[in-house]
Amino acid sequence: AQSVTQLDSHVSVSEGTPVLLRCNYSSSYSPSLFWYVQHPNKGLQLLLKYTSAATLVKGINGFEAEFKKSETSFHLTKPSAHMSDAAEYFCVVSFDTGTASKLTFGTGTRLQVTL
Amino acid sequence: GAVVSQHPSRVICKSGTSVKIECRSLDFQATTMFWYRQFPKKSLMLMATSNEGSKATYEQGVEKDKFLINHASLTLSTLTVTSAHPEDSSFYICSAPGLAGELAKNIQYFGAGTRLSVL
């Protein structure tokens, strides 16, 4: 069985300060891990993915995440927050069925960016 | 990247009526699509896997007679909420796996979602 835990339901940062969104996973397999972002009334957009290549993954909009097997973590970071980063962020683990991947979502972290 | 179109974006209906939601892959073929439900301030829960040319696979606890899924072609899957009730009000999202290729296989592209409100 696989699961994802996002430790913070809500994170608030000031514009220009670093962002840290925490995620821990549990998987019986070598996991594929993702971060998706959802802006209000919009679909989910892929930020970045880890699929057993480099442990430090760089994504779009300046985000990156580091896969730490010893800590079973995949935290999302950004050096400097922008107002446009305010959204809901989901950490996701993928289970490969053979033809397509079933995704298990974390409960989400709402990022608020203040002036 | 690949685009998944979901329609309608919002629907309001009376209790007891049926509502159909469409999910289309615009520039690629998808033999498999997924349907999710998202409750307010909650995560996405996988409802079912839609398979082109065969029956959908439902997750435990999802009523297959309530949520009818039809994968009519390689680019279209529909979710019909039958005899809708207020408790069916939710945000429904579809997705399709990425393009061919070992790495792309793990990526899914999501529709923008459909907000269903049942009065």
Side-chain angles (χ1 to χ4, degrees):
Chain A
Q2 57 184 24
S3 65
V4 174
T5 301
Q6 290 183 245
L7 299 163
D8 307 295
S9 61
H10 181 258
V11 170
S12 182
V13 300
S14 299
E15 188 176 34
T17 64
V19 175
L20 170 63
L21 305 183
R22 298 183 292 168
C23 172
N24 287 93
Y25 69 91
S26 173
S27 176
S28 303
Y29 306 84
S30 296
S32 293
L33 293 160
F34 308 81
W35 276 97
Y36 281 87
V37 60
Q38 184 182 33
H39 290 276
N41 299 315
K42 296 287 182 75
L44 286 93
Q45 180 183 20
L46 179 66
L47 276 179
L48 49 81
K49 62 179 174 69
Y50 166 78
T51 55
S52 75
T55 56
L56 182 62
V57 182
K58 293 187 183 298
I60 62 172
N61 301 335
F63 285 95
E64 61 182 39
E66 185 172 7
F67 174 72
K68 293 187 176 180
K69 187 175 181 178
S70 61
E71 299 177 8
T72 60
S73 70
F74 190 57
H75 301 334
L76 181 70
T77 60
K78 182 174 181 177
S80 176
H82 191 272
M83 294 297 290
S84 61
D85 294 328
E88 188 87 20
Y89 291 80
F90 293 97
C91 183
V92 182
V93 61
S94 171
F95 168 54
D96 191 349
T97 66
T99 55
S101 298
K102 294 176 70 170
L103 303 182
T104 298
F105 283 75
T107 51
T109 298
R110 179 163 298 278
L111 175 64
Q112 181 181 16
V113 182
T114 59
L115 290 172
Chain B
V3 176
V4 172
S5 174
Q6 191 171 338
H7 178 81
S9 59
R10 186 178 181 95
V11 57
I12 301 172
C13 69
K14 292 182 179 180
S15 185
T17 61
S18 295
V19 175
K20 180 185 284 187
I21 303 170
E22 294 186 347
C23 181
R24 294 180 184 273
S25 56
L26 292 187
D27 49 3
F28 66 104
Q29 294 181 336
T31 56
T32 301
M33 291 185 177
F34 298 95
W35 287 96
Y36 296 85
R37 182 172 178 176
Q38 184 178 29
F39 293 95
K41 299 183 179 180
K42 296 283 188 181
S43 185
L44 279 75
M45 301 298 295
L46 179 65
M47 297 175 65
T49 303
S50 174
N51 304 300
E52 191 270 336
S54 64
K55 292 181 179 180
T57 305
Y58 290 82
E59 296 300 302
Q60 190 173 11
V62 178
E63 300 176 59
K64 56 184 67 176
D65 294 332
K66 173 71 154 176
F67 299 100
L68 299 179
I69 291 173
N70 181 28
H71 202 133
S73 72
L74 288 171
T75 59
L76 174 63
S77 174
T78 60
L79 168 68
T80 301
V81 183
T82 62
S83 186
H85 290 281
E87 58 265 30
D88 299 325
S89 299
S90 194
F91 195 57
Y92 294 87
I93 303 175
C94 68
S95 73
L99 302 175
E102 186 170 332
L103 293 180
K105 185 173 66 172
N106 285 314
I107 296 174
Q108 293 194 21
Y109 296 92
F110 287 82
T114 298
R115 185 162 300 283
L116 171 64
S117 300
V118 184
L119 304 178

